[in-house]
DNA sequence: TATGAATGAGAGTTCATTCAT
DNA sequence: TATGAATGAACTCTCATTCAT
């Protein structure tokens, strides 16, 4: 009985992770159910048995995977620290996190780009389920820092767009930029280390009062 | 004689701009040749008459459209100005440019994300055709500024990723962020004005010496 | 379990034989996948499920069907008999064989005409798989007969072209010839009986020493 | 004015000979109007201007080309000679004739195989136009020879099938046979010379009394 | 739960043919 | 006569989805 239970979870999870891979590489439209099935080494019909439809599998992947990574990613935003330390910790945490989880990164970015609002909806539901209100918390934090004269950016939205964009964009820009400038690429590790340092400087000098 | 010459250009161009719209909304896989034909009000077979295949139409759209916007976009990078003015002009120029050309923006971003290196290749060819070497020019500029102690970021790649990301990301992030923070949206114009200001500050304070 | 196994074989075989009919009548280019599907009473997509593409279905038909008829056709060439009996048996065997299997005949002739060398390749592989070397056997036989003064034709190639052509051509020539000479056609059976006799005489008198 | 007249004939003939090439290689279904136009270096629409439709172009090619070669080919059948000389002259004449006119050969053979009766119709019309009745002449000749005890084959149809098949089949069989027997191919010329000799022997010994 | 077979809608592509000039 | 553009029907092929077992 336990065996059976485990088998079920196994198949479902095999599908989810195969789908994560496929969707992150090809997107919703480009992904092929059969290819997912093959990768997961399950029968194609099983995808429909468990997830009913392609688009439902897609959402399931997003939310399943998201909720998995969510707590880990959320930690950094809830630390009770000042802006200086915040600007230090953010890139040091976020960049390696995405380096380790490229599939997740690609999937989320895709979703973020082309379906942003529905992603936010999901994020918010995640907060609700955890009885958290991170958005409010962050907004308050920024307002507070600004009121106390610790930062120069008064608008939480601009504050976050600035912060997030320089982190998130790094992964997209890396191959493009080095090819553009014809600068012989250093190792991935070195590059992202230098990115972390550069972001830290930019944010600190750029937004600390 | 002029008649059909114009007609030809018309059809080809109608297809290109219909395809630009479709591809920017749905991506390569999601786009439908028939829908493009309908939008362009031409017979579906004409798409193949002029472009042979979907993927070739896609590339044609990218390069055709790109080379159209290219010169305009390139202008800003070739101005002979110092870093301070540079940081001022960049967001003031780039943000409205993309606001006006959303289709182009979406298409290019998609391409940038999922096919970055081939885009760069095209960009470089565009430079070659115009007898320009903007990459070298920019690299030299940054190195020069750094050597003369005008900026704090020594690495051209980081310099540009920082600069580009905060501009480009604005469009993606806007709806997401305002929904996330539940901040009643100001008008588009106001938002992007504030973005421009915020970016200018970030870059000036963040990277000027 | 046996149930679906049989079903699978059934569908595949229904497709093969429908395709044999269609291809033999219309050729590769003229054949229509939909018409094959209709004839086989299967869904059109099944053709691709089992055979991937039209041209692959075509090859499959050729090799499947060929290997089916192959052993039967090969028998006559491996009999251990002298040339006189050989010339007697060949038309008596080959002509009725093709009369019974007109689809096969048309298909093979088409292939023979327009793709001869690849057919030979296949034939040779068939021999290999059966651990036979009929070509060598036949060549040796002719050389031996000639050396022993039993036949007048020293060249195996000419020997066989002479023999095969008069048999194979009969089917093509029949309707043409009777229309050409405006000779009221006898029944098929009678015609081919007379053909067999005529060929036997021609070969015996023409190539026996 | 002459120029214009010549130009017209030129285009039509360029189309005919391009079509002959294409049809002989690919058959009716496999041939492409565009490819014919390209080969003829005329505009595709011209094919329809001159020939109305593909199938009409096909017939036109057949009959145009046929009537061109017809008289030449007919000569051999109208010589007033005995059977022995006949069997000598036939291969000596027919084989080189087809060697020189391979396009014609392929086209006619195709037609002969897959559309034999309509070809005969055309041939007969050609006779009518020339006020000849070759079929009757040949039939009478064979009957006469047989009655006078000069040949052993009483049936004109068998007589001709035997004769024609060994000649016509040579071209099809050559590459196949040499590959089949793995006999190093001699030159084309040598091969067909040996064919002529072999056919002569076969027919003489096989059908002369 | 699991499988291979089957389905139907529709996608991209091709091609003979026609049109406007 | 000649051209490039245009058309529409049909074709091969794909894919999410369902079925029978």
């Amino acid at each position: 009985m336990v065996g059976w239970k485990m088998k079920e979870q196994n198949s479902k999870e095999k599908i989810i992770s195969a789908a994560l891979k496929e969707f992150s590489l090809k997107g919703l439209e480009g992904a092929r159910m059969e290819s997912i099935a093959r990768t997961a080494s399950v029968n194609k019909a099983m995808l429909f048995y468990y997830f009913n439809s392609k688009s439902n599998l897609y959402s399931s992947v997003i939310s399943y995977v998201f909720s998995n990574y969510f707590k880990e990613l959320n930690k950094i935003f809830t630390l009770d620290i000042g802006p200086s330390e915040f600007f230090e910790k953010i890139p040091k945490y976020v960049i390696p996190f995405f380096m380790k989880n490229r599939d997740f990164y690609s999937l989320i970015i895709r979703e973020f780009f082309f379906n942003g609002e529905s992603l936010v909806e999901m994020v918010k539901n995640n907060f609700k389920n955890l009885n958290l209100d991170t958005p409010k918390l962050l907004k308050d934090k920024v307002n507070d820092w600004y009121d106390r004269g610790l930062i120069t950016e008064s608008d939480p939205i601009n504050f976050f767009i600035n912060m997030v964009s320089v982190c998130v964009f790094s992964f997209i820009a890396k191959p493009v930029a080095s090819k553009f400038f014809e600068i012989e690429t250093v190792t991935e590790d070195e590059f992202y280390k230098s990115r972390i340092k550069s972001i830290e400087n930019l944010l600190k000098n750029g937004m600390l009062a």
Side-chain angles (χ1 to χ4, degrees), chain A:
Chain A
M1 230 151 239
V2 173
W4 174 94
K5 184 87 200 204
M6 287 194 63
K7 218 174 180 185
E8 177 194 359
Q9 291 183 336
N10 247 337
S11 271
K12 238 183 147 172
E13 271 171 19
K14 279 191 308 188
I15 292 169
I16 287 276
S17 64
L20 168 57
K21 206 172 294 176
E22 177 89 359
F23 284 131
S24 72
L25 279 168
K26 314 272 184 69
L28 172 56
E29 300 271 358
R32 296 290 164 250
M33 295 300 266
E34 220 211 291
S35 154
I36 293 171
R38 217 176 17 250
T39 306
S41 7
V42 305
N43 186 284
K44 206 188 356 168
M46 289 285 90
L47 309 200
F48 295 88
Y49 179 76
Y50 285 118
F51 299 96
N52 296 312
S53 74
K54 187 189 191 182
S55 76
N56 194 58
L57 172 58
Y58 185 70
S59 328
S60 301
V61 168
I62 300 251
S63 61
Y64 177 91
V65 163
F66 200 87
S67 68
N68 262 25
Y69 289 106
F70 191 74
K71 262 175 286 185
E72 203 179 336
L73 198 51
N74 193 44
K75 270 192 243 160
I76 193 69
F77 295 112
T78 52
L79 295 176
D80 188 21
I81 51 182
S84 175
E85 213 184 330
F86 193 65
F87 291 143
E88 220 166 272
K89 289 236 158 99
I90 282 287
K92 208 177 274 169
Y93 187 88
V94 169
I95 300 265
F97 176 80
F98 282 131
M99 279 177 76
K100 263 184 309 200
N101 306 112
R102 281 299 184 97
D103 283 350
F104 173 69
Y105 171 79
S106 296
L107 191 68
I108 287 304
I109 283 293
R110 245 198 170 101
E111 213 25 38
F112 188 35
F113 261 46
F114 304 120
N115 230 342
E117 315 211 11
S118 79
L119 232 198
V120 175
E121 205 66 51
M122 219 168 60
V123 174
K124 298 209 132 193
N125 286 333
N126 260 308
F127 286 131
K128 228 170 262 166
N129 294 340
L130 299 168
N131 265 332
L132 292 171
D133 194 356
T134 308
K136 188 179 180 324
L137 195 144
L138 289 170
K139 202 166 49 174
D140 290 350
K141 198 177 264 184
V142 172
N143 287 331
D144 175 53
W145 287 343
Y146 182 73
D147 290 343
R148 285 161 53 204
L150 300 176
I151 58 175
T152 56
E153 175 62 67
S154 65
D155 176 10
I157 291 189
N158 274 312
F159 182 95
F160 275 97
I161 292 182
N162 289 343
M163 201 178 73
V164 170
S165 57
V166 286
C167 291
V168 160
F169 220 70
S170 307
F171 297 93
I172 303 156
K174 199 239 158 181
V176 174
S178 60
K179 198 163 189 192
F180 183 78
F181 289 116
E182 279 165 357
I183 290 175
E184 59 277 20
T185 33
V186 292
T187 67
E188 290 247 306
D189 266 17
E190 285 169 322
F191 172 75
Y192 288 113
K193 238 193 245 164
S194 85
R195 249 320 23 224
I196 291 170
K197 197 76 209 128
S198 177
I199 292 170
E200 186 190 333
N201 287 336
L202 180 73
L203 296 180
K204 276 186 172 168
N205 298 328
M207 295 205 289
L208 280 182

